[in-house]
Amino acid sequence: MKTQVAIIGSGPAGLLLGHLLRASGIDCVIIERQSRDYVESRIRAGVLETVTTDLLHKLGIDAGLNAAGLMEEGFNLATGNTLIRIDIARLTGKHVMVYGQTELTRDLIDAAPDRQLEIIFEAKDVELNDVESEQPFVTFTKDGIAQRITADFIAGCDGFHGPSRRAIPAKKIREFEREYPFGWLGILADVPPCHPELIYSNGPRGFALASMRSPTRSRYYIQVPLTERLEDWSEERLWGELAARFDPISKHGVTRGSALEMSIAPLRSYVFEAMRHGRLFLAGDAAHIVPPTGAKGLNLAASDVAYLSDALIAHYRDGSDAALEAYACRALSRIWKAERFSWYLTKLMHRFPEDGDFEHRMQISELDYVASSEAMQRVIAENYVGLPL
Ligand code: RFL
Ligand code: PHB
């Protein structure tokens, strides 16, 4: 089989890229390791920047977003018993949308057949070959049969654990990494949110986040040590912890309900500084990871593929490779700024086991400063809504 662009991975990066290329008449195939059911049921991000929602509107795959997305004009940082509202609408003239990655992924997969975007699910042993040549190809097995797709380009959109990054020789790369000594324990439940807008809290019991998916579905997280296992947490214990943190500061208090999902995710900052090698281009979590504080991961995947699709379209339409040459540099400039903001907010809002009283007072003092300074609030708001492309 032959195509113009072979895309590895059907997460947000691969799906958005596939649709953007198809909208310009470029042939592409998405090769995904997991089943459709698995991909559609992963619970992850919830906050979309304008960069991401603009792509959905441009593609016309926005019925779900228009019907169920919640416009957020502000969010809150909290210390102990005080809420600091960051009025993003007033400070930036923009907003973010609460719309789940799960729903966004489902919308993009549902829209694929009508737009002749082929997605091959359950592709095993995916390998990238000859990426330095003019004729790279991807091999895999599907239903026990060996397959080979030759392409002009390969887009590695296969997340942090996929094979694309490893197809780049070690001597061509630089990696930057920071692992955090804690994870986020998350719960999703069909209960009304405790507060009209998100709350990121750094209280005496550690970090917690109150988020939502809809007026009847809540998403909460708390910071837990990396040694903690899911089995250590009954739903009851987690609801008790959330109530202790959010009842004093939220408008409605925490409503308990049975969990639709509970999981622990480690926190990491990571940048892989070779987003291109020959005819292979990386996008999304395949090339970088941010801690979820600040909600940047999915949005960075979207901005990467906005740059990459423009560059591939210029190649096919105008015969110009200038944008392909500039891709890594343009994408990394935005990625590093999002890395900085996610790291900053993570440092500000979590309890680090190695920190003493002094560092904690520094956090409290900085939050106190944020509460009193519109300039500080504007910096946070500008980063939260997403920097321009
Ligand atoms: P994905 O979503 O990981 O998709 C990669 C796809 O590649 C497939 N794959 C392979 N396919 C073929 N062959 C192989 N060998 C393969 N190996 C892997 C995978 O099955 C998968 O389908 O990467 P992508 O597309 O780059 O998207 C990135 C986002 O998913 C990620 O950055 C966000 O979820 C991060 N994130 C958040 N981002 C936000 O912008 N806002 C948020 O509010 C937000 N909250 C979060 C988050 C991530 C979290 N976790 C679980 C890490 C909250 C959490 C808890
Ligand atoms: C979520 O709703 O899952 C969410 C919201 C904000 C974040 C991270 C995750 O910063």
Side-chain angles (χ1 to χ4, degrees):
M1 183 175 172
K2 202 170 175 339
T3 190
Q4 288 177 303
V5 183
I7 300 172
I8 324 272
S10 71
L15 290 166
L16 282 168
L17 179 64
H19 276 293
L20 289 163
L21 296 178
R22 288 301 306 132
S24 287
I26 296 169
D27 276 345
C28 54
V29 178
I30 301 182
I31 304 145
E32 165 62 48
R33 183 171 60 132
Q34 304 288 359
S35 68
R36 178 173 177 169
D37 273 358
Y38 183 94
V39 170
E40 289 188 341
S41 56
R42 276 191 299 231
I43 311 289
R44 287 187 173 173
V47 177
L48 307 184
E49 295 174 5
T50 312
V51 162
T52 309
T53 53
D54 279 354
L55 291 181
L56 295 173
H57 293 314
K58 177 172 151 185
L59 288 166
I61 308 177
D62 55 0
L65 173 71
N66 294 339
L70 303 177
M71 186 189 288
E72 293 283 300
E73 299 195 326
F75 71 99
N76 301 277
L77 300 175
T79 55
N81 288 343
T82 320
L83 277 190
I84 306 164
R85 180 164 188 268
I86 309 291
D87 188 337
I88 51 182
R90 185 177 61 79
L91 292 162
T92 68
K94 297 183 185 159
H95 59 267
V96 291
M97 295 295 287
V98 166
Y99 190 64
Q101 179 169 333
T102 315
E103 287 70 24
L104 176 143
T105 304
R106 186 205 53 213
D107 297 348
L108 292 169
I109 292 175
D110 282 352
D114 278 354
R115 294 160 187 241
Q116 286 82 48
L117 172 59
E118 189 184 351
I119 308 173
I120 301 170
F121 289 102
E122 298 180 70
K124 303 297 167 207
D125 307 318
V126 173
E127 281 180 25
L128 292 80
N129 305 272
D130 291 357
V131 297
E132 289 168 33
S133 77
E134 301 277 302
Q135 290 261 287
F137 61 98
V138 180
T139 52
F140 57 94
T141 47
K142 169 77 184 164
D143 301 327
I145 299 166
Q147 306 275 348
R148 172 182 171 133
I149 299 181
T150 306
D152 299 335
F153 299 100
I154 299 178
C157 301
D158 44 0
F160 189 63
H161 301 288
S164 294
R165 207 171 55 244
R166 291 194 293 276
I168 303 183
K171 59 179 185 298
K172 300 274 180 184
I173 66 167
R174 268 192 92 180
E175 289 175 286
F176 301 84
E177 186 159 23
R178 165 83 153 100
E179 282 182 14
Y180 298 89
F182 41 74
W184 279 16
L185 166 62
I187 185 168
L188 183 74
D190 276 332
V191 291
C194 67
H195 202 75
E197 295 175 333
L198 272 66
I199 307 176
Y200 295 83
S201 166
N202 178 352
R205 302 165 81 98
F207 170 83
L209 168 61
S211 180
M212 66 193 82
R213 291 289 178 275
S214 75
T216 55
R217 184 169 285 189
S218 300
R219 179 71 165 157
Y220 290 98
Y221 301 92
I222 62 166
Q223 167 185 353
V224 292
L226 281 177
T227 46
E228 214 93 327
R229 293 164 315 146
L230 207 49
E231 304 85 81
D232 299 332
W233 286 86
S234 64
E235 290 182 32
E236 222 172 86
R237 178 175 172 212
L238 182 51
W239 285 120
E241 200 53 48
L242 290 165
R245 298 177 194 209
F246 290 115
D247 280 356
I249 49 176
S250 60
K251 187 164 178 201
H252 310 295
V254 172
T255 307
R256 301 173 188 222
S258 69
L260 300 169
E261 192 251 11
M262 272 174 76
S263 56
I264 296 182
L267 267 66
R268 172 186 283 125
S269 298
Y270 175 81
V271 180
F272 183 84
E273 272 206 348
M275 290 182 74
R276 174 196 185 162
H277 180 64
R279 292 192 159 236
L280 166 64
F281 291 83
L282 301 181
D285 279 13
H288 43 78
I289 296 288
V290 287
T293 338
K296 292 282 161 252
L298 163 65
N299 294 300
L300 277 183
S303 57
D304 285 356
V305 300
Y307 296 135
L308 184 55
S309 59
D310 281 353
L312 288 166
I313 292 164
H315 169 88
Y316 286 110
R317 196 189 46 205
D318 314 325
S320 165
D321 283 353
L324 281 176
E325 301 294 341
Y327 167 67
C329 193
R330 282 179 80 193
L332 281 163
S333 165
R334 193 168 191 276
I335 289 159
W336 274 115
K337 292 184 192 96
E339 289 282 349
R340 186 205 69 78
F341 179 64
S342 310
W343 164 84
Y344 163 77
L345 213 55
T346 301
K347 295 273 287 175
L348 181 62
M349 300 309 294
H350 292 74
R351 294 296 168 98
F352 284 71
E354 68 270 24
D355 280 356
D357 289 347
F358 180 80
E359 281 76 13
H360 182 52
R361 282 297 173 96
M362 287 294 102
Q363 290 180 324
I364 300 301
S365 162
E366 175 142 4
L367 284 164
D368 198 22
Y369 180 35
V370 170
S372 66
S373 160
E374 185 167 310
M376 284 295 283
Q377 290 176 19
R378 180 165 285 116
V379 168
I380 291 172
E382 180 176 82
N383 282 276
Y384 197 79
V385 296
L387 298 175
L389 279 182

